Each structure stands twice: as structure tokens, then as C-alpha cells.
Amino acid sequence: MAMLTGKLVCLRAVEPADFESIWRWSHDPAVMRWMSSGYPESYVQAQERLAVAPRNGYENCRFIIESLDDRRAVGFVRLRDAKPEVGNAELDIQIGEKDVWGRGFATEAMRLMCRYGFNEMRLHRITLDFAAENTAARRVYEKVGFVEEGRVRECFRRDGKWHDMILMGLLEGELRD
């Protein structure tokens, strides 16, 4: 796949050299604040998992978000669990470099990824969920065109407290530029 390019970022395939950044992001408490972190794994275990990760395909497309200014990896985005029978996939995004937070990188990366999902993968619907307290994420998702579709009560635990998750969806034709 050719890179997907916007004005601030491009989306490109994950390379082995990206592991250091991904590892650092996944161990930064501020970056992981509202994300599920899973069980701890060693540096070597994480490298091995990345090395055997399946290739990008319809069911799972993962890309590095690269800054066009300095060509550095600043995050990742993926469409996962895509089902051609229903034209649906789930979107995950993480901006790991805190110095680019609030500069429009997440918004542009989401637009590029959703456009790819609708145009190239022929999806009809893209969904996501996030912790209700993550107001910065909500602003980005709404800017792109996602609409709140539901709430799952107290299903995410962080800092000893239960949080609700908000479910949002975007249909083909609703993407905002």
C-alpha cells in the first residue's frame, strides 16, 4: 500500500525500527491513561510479538502515524476486526508523542484512516469506544463525524475507580473534512 498522506501526517506500514517508539509509548503513564494496557510483558516478549504479528489485511490494518515535518513516528492507528459480511470495523488510535498533542495529528490521522476504510476496504461503518472522561478524544472523534451511539456503564477500571465507556459510530458518507 502506498502511504496515505495529509498536510500534517502520513500513515505508513509498521517497520521493525518503530518498535522502540511503540515500546516507549506503551510504558508512558500519560499516553496510556485511558487505554487498556493488558498484562505486563518483557521487552524481548514484546519484540517477539511484533515480529510475528500478522501482515496487514482486511481484518486488521495497522499503520504508524508519521509527522511530515520531521518524518518521526508519533503514534499509530488501526482498523481491526473488519467483517466484510457487514462492512464494519473498529478503529483504535494512539498519539504517543506528547509534544504533538493538540496539534491536529490525531484528527488528520483518523480522517485518513476512515477514508481508507470507506474507499479501499469498502466498509460501511467504523466504530470505536473510549472512556467517558477522555474529553480530548471525544472532541477529535466528533470533529471527524463520529456520533455517540451508547454507553457501557462502569466497564473500565483506572486508578481504583470504574469508568463508563462511550460507543461511537461513523457511517460511510458521514466523514467530515
Side-chain angles (χ1 to χ4, degrees), residues 1 24 31 72 80 95 113 128 133:
M1 179 196 100
R24 186 170 34 81
V31 172
R72 111 186 119 117
R80 64 178 166 84
I95 302 296
M113 194 67 185
L128 56 80
E133 286 81 356

Side-chain angles (χ1 to χ4, degrees), residues 68-113:
L68 290 177
D69 283 343
D70 55 14
R71 305 311 290 193
R72 111 186 119 117
V74 296
F76 72 84
V77 62
R78 76 175 172 168
L79 286 170
R80 64 178 166 84
D81 302 326
K83 295 176 179 56
E85 301 84 5
V86 293
N88 188 54
E90 293 183 48
L91 187 139
D92 298 318
I93 187 166
Q94 179 185 66
I95 302 296
E97 297 297 338
K98 294 180 286 208
D99 66 318
V100 301
W101 286 4
R103 291 182 42 202
F105 286 50
T107 303
E108 185 171 85
M110 287 191 66
R111 283 185 180 124
L112 289 169
M113 194 67 185

Side-chain angles (χ1 to χ4, degrees), residues 31-32 34 45 144:
V31 172
M32 296 304 293
W34 296 115
Q45 289 169 326
V144 172

Side-chain angles (χ1 to χ4, degrees), residues 35-51:
M35 305 192 99
S36 299
S37 51
Y39 291 101
E41 64 183 351
S42 73
Y43 185 85
V44 171
Q45 289 169 326
Q47 272 185 317
E48 290 170 352
R49 183 175 44 78
L50 184 62

Side-chain angles (χ1 to χ4, degrees), residues 2-74:
M3 289 190 298
L4 304 170
T5 305
K7 293 178 181 168
L8 299 170
V9 302
C10 71
L11 306 185
R12 62 164 175 78
V14 179
E15 298 289 346
D18 296 319
F19 177 77
E20 295 291 330
S21 296
I22 295 168
W23 175 262
R24 186 170 34 81
W25 302 333
S26 69
H27 288 82
D28 184 324
V31 172
M32 296 304 293
R33 172 84 178 121
W34 296 115
M35 305 192 99
S36 299
S37 51
Y39 291 101
E41 64 183 351
S42 73
Y43 185 85
V44 171
Q45 289 169 326
Q47 272 185 317
E48 290 170 352
R49 183 175 44 78
L50 184 62
V52 299
R55 305 173 82 170
N56 276 349
Y58 189 85
E59 189 173 291
N60 186 37
C61 287
R62 183 175 177 176
F63 302 106
I64 286 293
I65 303 167
E66 185 176 280
S67 166
L68 290 177
D69 283 343
D70 55 14
R71 305 311 290 193
R72 111 186 119 117
V74 296

